[in-house]
């Protein structure tokens, strides 16, 4: 299936932006702020608990107008409506894209193939709540009668990154008598280290896999089963007490040996990287409790409604998306740094890597033709202030333009002396330094010897957004995640790509399946790869035998 649409670079608004870039591209933010002193208050937007300052960007009112024209000409409003109404906008997989239904209120109505999906969503949420209460209260007992103390999520990609990130982000709200571990890598070390101090009789495994066929997850799940059975005299009926599954694939779940009564389902209209608020978030609910989980869903929903209804100039995800398109396509920026000044968000950048790059790492348009412009940026980041002592040098004085998203909070969940003031002072200092830099005259005025001056000049004019909230709560986390989810969709819409498939991960999976027996067979089979791959296989086999 293809859609007919004016190619992006032929659009009137795109051409106008290209023209406009030639006049504004080199204008310094010092000038923009000097000419418009109220800019810092004006170029802001607010929704729910998030305050968004986008004034430190290389844009004028004219730039913004043209970017909004681009959103209109790209049919963003229609695409948003299509997504929210359950149209099958994931055309290459013939699926609706309805993560927004996971957090819709009970009385909402969204139809897929003529059926309202909302009652099903709430039924699963109810089952998750009931199960969480049983585990958290100690009512659910392991095979030997002991309550569960350890919860181990086995999953990878969207079935891991969201759960890990949310557990870390909301640790403050978590039940501290329970231990949480996350196993994703097929590297046996991940499993061994995760369980080395756990008692199998007190451990519950959540096998989280949308497809229930993923090599890494199924390998780890089998190892977990053997680990449990090894400690329990191979009592197969212990599985029901120590394993639950989260999946869309009931058949594979029961094939593995997990009773489907212990399965929490979701649906093919939830993409893996958009699934942390579905049953994939079971570990999150176990950690923070059903009430906090529902509060998080409410935060998501508030951002969903905002994205669906707000005009572009107030719409946080759309503003973020348009700014990233502006830098990526007109300034040639290749990356975006996400810099949360909140230790609890330490896994947020890693989570965003999958969300952004698996979604928008595409060079084929919805029409099936190759793009002639850049698409998805490389997202990376670390929590502040750690990143400042690591890679910020390149952001300040390197040769590349790296737009930054700073995320900061008014209050710490762990107030300690003046730590929070110091932390937040650093956020504001960084965005100020990036935007305005330090001129040669300023450096000289400090008495710097002439030869050292060029090294100490900061040219500035490096853009950033600042997102500020009062405090990190379950709701604020939901708002932040939904903000980036919708930003990704708005970017993908402008680039005319499908942000919801991931065919690019398939080839490596297929080849690995072919190579596994070539590494495991007793005798060296005939190798039919290229000479490099053949040689590496031989070297590996030799190393194994040493
Ligand atoms: O390989 C990529 C991917 O398909 C991701 O999109 C997904 O989140 C991950 O693998 C895990 O898939 P599953 O939940 O089906 O095990």
């Amino acid at each position: 299936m293809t859609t007919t649409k004016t190619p992006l670079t032929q659009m009137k608004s795109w051409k106008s932006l290209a023209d406009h870039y030639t006049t504004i591209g080199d204008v310094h933010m010092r000038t923009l702020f000097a000419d418009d002193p109220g800019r810092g208050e004006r170029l802001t937007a607010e929704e729910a608990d998030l305050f968004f300052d986008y004034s430190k960007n290389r844009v004028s009112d004219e730039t913004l107008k043209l970017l909004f024209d681009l959103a209109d000409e790209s049919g963003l409003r229609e695409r948003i409506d299509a997504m929210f109404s359950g149209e099958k906008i994931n055309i290459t997989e013939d699926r609706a894209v309805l993560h927004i239904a996971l957090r819709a209120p009970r009385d909402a109505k969204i139809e897929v193939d003529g059926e309202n999906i909302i009652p099903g969503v709430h039924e699963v949420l109810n089952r998750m709540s009931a199960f969480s209460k049983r585990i958290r209260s100690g009512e659910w007992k392991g095979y030997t009668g002991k309550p569960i103390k350890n919860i181990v999520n086995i999953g990878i990609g969207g079935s891991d990154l969201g759960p890990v990130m949310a557990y870390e982000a909301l640790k403050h709200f978590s039940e501290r008598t329970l231990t949480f571990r996350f196993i994703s890598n097929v590297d046996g070390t991940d499993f061994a280290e995760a369980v080395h101090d756990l008692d199998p009789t007190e451990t519950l495994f959540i096998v989280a896999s949308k497809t229930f066929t993923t090599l890494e997850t199924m390998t780890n799940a089998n190892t977990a089963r053997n680990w449990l059975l090894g400690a329990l005299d191979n009592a197969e009926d212990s599985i029901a007490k120590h394993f639950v599954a989260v999946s869309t694939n009931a058949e594979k779940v029961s094939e593995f040996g997990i009773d489907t009564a212990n399965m929490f389902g979701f649906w093919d209209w939830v993409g893996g990287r958009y699934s942390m608020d579905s049953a994939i978030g079971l570990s999150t609910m176990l950690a923070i409790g059903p009430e906090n989980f529902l509060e998080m869903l409410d935060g998501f929903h508030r951002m969903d409604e905002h994205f669906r209804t707000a005009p572009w100039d107030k719409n946080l995800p759309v503003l973020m998306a348009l700014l990233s398109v502006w830098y990526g396509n007109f300034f040639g920026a290749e990356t975006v740094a996400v810099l949360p000044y909140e230790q609890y968000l330490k896994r947020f950048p890693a989570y965003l890597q999958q969300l952004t790059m698996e979604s928008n790492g595409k060079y084929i348009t919805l029409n099936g033709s190759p793009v002639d412009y850049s698409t998805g940026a490389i997202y990376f980041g670390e929590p502040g202030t750690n990143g400042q002592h690591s890679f910020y040098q390149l952001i300040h004085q390197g040769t590349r333009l790296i737009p930054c998203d700073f995320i900061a909070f008014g209050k710490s969940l762990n107030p300690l002396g003046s730590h929070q003031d110091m932390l937040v002072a650093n956020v504001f200092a960084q965005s100020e330094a990036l935007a305005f830099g330090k001129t040669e005259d300023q450096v000289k005025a400090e008495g710097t010897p002439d030869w050292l001056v060029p090294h100490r000049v900061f040219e500035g004019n490096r853009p950033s957004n600042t997102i500020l909230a009062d405090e990190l709560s379950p709701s604020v986390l939901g708002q932040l995640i939904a903000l980036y989810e919708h930003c990704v969709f708005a970017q993908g819409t402008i680039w005319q790509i499908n942000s919801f498939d991931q065919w690019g991960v398939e080839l490596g999976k297929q080849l690995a399946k072919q190579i596994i027996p070539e590494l495991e067979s007793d005798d060296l089979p005939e190798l039919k790869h290229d000479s490099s791959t053949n040689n590496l296989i031989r070297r590996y086999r030799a190393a194994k035998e040493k």
Side-chain angles (χ1 to χ4, degrees):
M1 186 181 145
T2 58
T3 54
T4 45
K5 187 165 236 188
T6 310
L8 178 58
T9 51
Q10 306 296 309
M11 284 184 182
K12 188 166 168 279
S13 51
W14 187 270
K15 291 181 181 168
S16 305
L17 278 163
D19 277 352
H20 174 67
Y21 173 75
T22 60
T23 57
I24 196 164
D26 289 332
V27 176
H28 203 288
M29 273 190 263
R30 288 179 201 131
T31 312
L32 294 174
F33 272 83
D35 291 353
D36 176 10
R39 180 183 169 95
E41 284 105 51
R42 206 166 52 79
L43 298 189
T44 61
E46 220 164 328
E47 177 56 30
D49 298 304
L50 305 186
F51 175 77
F52 182 64
D53 176 351
Y54 62 100
S55 62
K56 293 191 185 89
N57 279 291
R58 292 166 73 167
V59 293
S60 63
D61 288 350
E62 175 67 6
T63 323
L64 292 167
K65 186 198 156 294
L66 293 173
L67 287 169
F68 300 148
D69 289 349
L70 176 65
D72 287 333
E73 209 178 344
S74 299
L76 180 57
R77 186 63 70 198
E78 294 76 21
R79 292 281 294 170
I80 292 173
D81 290 345
M83 177 171 84
F84 276 74
S85 65
E87 250 181 63
K88 295 193 175 173
I89 60 169
N90 176 359
I91 55 169
T92 60
E93 296 180 321
D94 193 26
R95 288 176 183 168
V97 175
L98 280 173
H99 40 280
I100 52 103
L102 299 170
R103 52 265 190 159
R106 247 166 235 282
D107 57 358
K109 192 173 171 199
I110 302 175
E111 291 194 347
V112 174
D113 295 328
E115 195 195 326
N116 182 13
I117 57 172
I118 300 300
V121 168
H122 283 272
E123 191 210 310
V124 174
L125 279 172
N126 291 344
R127 287 186 56 227
M128 287 167 64
S129 299
F131 178 72
S132 298
K133 285 180 191 155
R134 290 182 71 193
I135 294 283
R136 286 163 62 90
S137 67
E139 185 197 326
W140 179 289
K141 301 279 190 293
Y143 184 66
T144 62
K146 291 193 200 164
I148 296 298
K149 284 201 184 146
N150 315 308
I151 291 152
V152 182
N153 189 79
I154 299 180
I156 197 163
S159 302
D160 167 73
L161 289 161
V164 181
M165 179 276 289
Y167 171 68
E168 291 295 343
L170 300 176
K171 205 180 225 168
H172 182 78
F173 303 88
S174 71
E175 174 54 58
R176 302 288 180 142
T177 57
L178 294 172
T179 296
F180 287 82
R181 299 274 160 80
F182 299 85
I183 300 174
S184 54
N185 201 337
V186 75
D187 181 338
T189 298
D190 205 12
F191 184 89
E193 286 293 341
V195 302
H196 87 278
D197 58 347
L198 302 187
D199 176 350
T201 62
E202 297 176 336
T203 300
L204 176 83
F205 289 99
I206 302 173
V207 185
S209 175
K210 182 175 170 183
T211 54
F212 232 71
T213 56
T214 304
L215 174 92
E216 294 89 334
T217 301
M218 298 330 295
T219 306
N220 281 319
N222 276 308
T223 303
R225 185 167 55 183
N226 294 339
W227 180 76
L228 178 82
L229 292 178
L232 293 174
D233 291 335
N234 288 321
E236 286 283 340
D237 46 346
S238 65
I239 301 286
K241 298 287 177 199
H242 293 271
F243 276 81
V244 296
V246 178
S247 187
T248 57
N249 192 340
E251 204 182 316
K252 290 278 175 202
V253 168
S254 47
E255 242 174 60
F256 177 84
I258 298 177
D259 188 341
T260 46
N262 294 337
M263 167 179 160
F264 299 87
F266 62 116
W267 306 269
D268 72 357
W269 39 261
V270 182
R273 53 193 174 275
Y274 298 86
S275 67
M276 58 138 315
D277 50 336
S278 70
I280 289 290
L282 183 62
S283 58
T284 314
M285 193 191 269
L286 285 163
I288 64 173
E291 265 180 40
N292 281 320
F293 193 86
L294 295 181
E295 200 204 294
M296 181 181 80
L297 295 188
D298 185 57
F300 272 98
H301 180 64
R302 290 173 78 176
M303 188 53 66
D304 295 342
E305 283 305 287
H306 167 72
F307 178 55
R308 190 175 67 81
T309 57
W312 302 148
D313 64 339
K314 303 262 179 305
N315 196 314
L316 273 58
V318 173
L319 285 164
M320 256 172 108
L322 292 172
L323 289 165
S324 64
V325 167
W326 177 231
Y327 295 121
N329 295 101
F330 296 93
F331 289 76
E334 295 192 329
T335 59
V336 174
V338 180
L339 309 165
Y341 280 63
E342 167 54 81
Q343 188 61 20
Y344 283 125
L345 289 179
K346 65 182 181 192
R347 294 288 296 177
F348 194 56
Y351 168 77
L352 288 183
Q353 284 178 5
Q354 185 198 18
L355 180 67
T356 58
M357 297 199 264
E358 201 173 70
S359 295
N360 284 340
K362 320 270 163 77
Y363 66 83
I364 295 294
T365 66
L366 289 160
N367 271 331
S369 43
V371 297
D372 55 0
Y373 43 85
S374 298
T375 61
I378 299 157
Y379 277 72
F380 75 104
E382 277 291 320
T385 58
N386 294 5
Q388 289 175 206
H389 300 271
S390 161
F391 54 82
Y392 278 36
Q393 165 66 36
L394 189 146
I395 305 181
H396 282 286
Q397 285 189 319
T399 54
R400 293 165 204 279
L401 186 77
I402 303 184
C404 300
D405 291 344
F406 291 101
I407 303 173
F409 296 87
K411 284 188 225 142
S412 170
L413 292 166
N414 297 294
L416 279 181
S418 56
H419 282 244
Q420 188 68 6
D421 291 341
M422 290 185 199
L423 180 71
V424 175
N426 272 282
V427 185
F428 299 160
Q430 288 300 325
S431 67
E432 189 178 10
L434 287 168
F436 303 105
K438 198 187 229 184
T439 62
E440 199 178 314
D441 289 346
Q442 287 171 315
V443 177
K444 280 187 181 156
E446 288 170 349
T448 310
D450 280 355
W451 68 269
L452 195 53
V453 169
H455 298 275
R456 302 196 57 166
V457 166
F458 286 70
E459 62 180 21
N461 217 13
R462 294 171 188 234
S464 66
N465 298 316
T466 301
I467 300 165
L468 206 54
D470 286 349
E471 192 172 70
L472 179 59
S473 64
S475 169
V476 166
L477 182 69
Q479 293 167 39
L480 278 173
I481 299 167
L483 169 65
Y484 280 93
E485 283 178 348
H486 298 319
C487 170
V488 162
F489 175 50
Q491 291 170 333
T493 297
I494 288 164
W495 290 321
Q496 304 186 359
I497 56 178
N498 180 2
S499 302
F500 303 107
D501 62 10
Q502 56 285 317
W503 298 106
V505 300
E506 292 304 319
L507 178 58
K509 288 185 193 173
Q510 277 167 22
L511 291 174
K513 276 198 188 131
Q514 196 182 319
I515 293 173
I516 291 166
E518 294 171 345
L519 304 184
E520 288 188 327
S521 64
D522 289 341
D523 299 319
L524 179 67
E526 189 192 346
L527 299 175
K528 292 185 178 153
H529 305 273
D530 58 277
S531 59
S532 159
T533 310
N534 288 345
N535 192 34
L536 290 167
I537 290 172
R538 283 193 293 268
R539 297 283 301 205
Y540 173 78
R541 290 181 62 102
K544 264 204 338 179
E545 273 154 31
K546 269 187 199 154

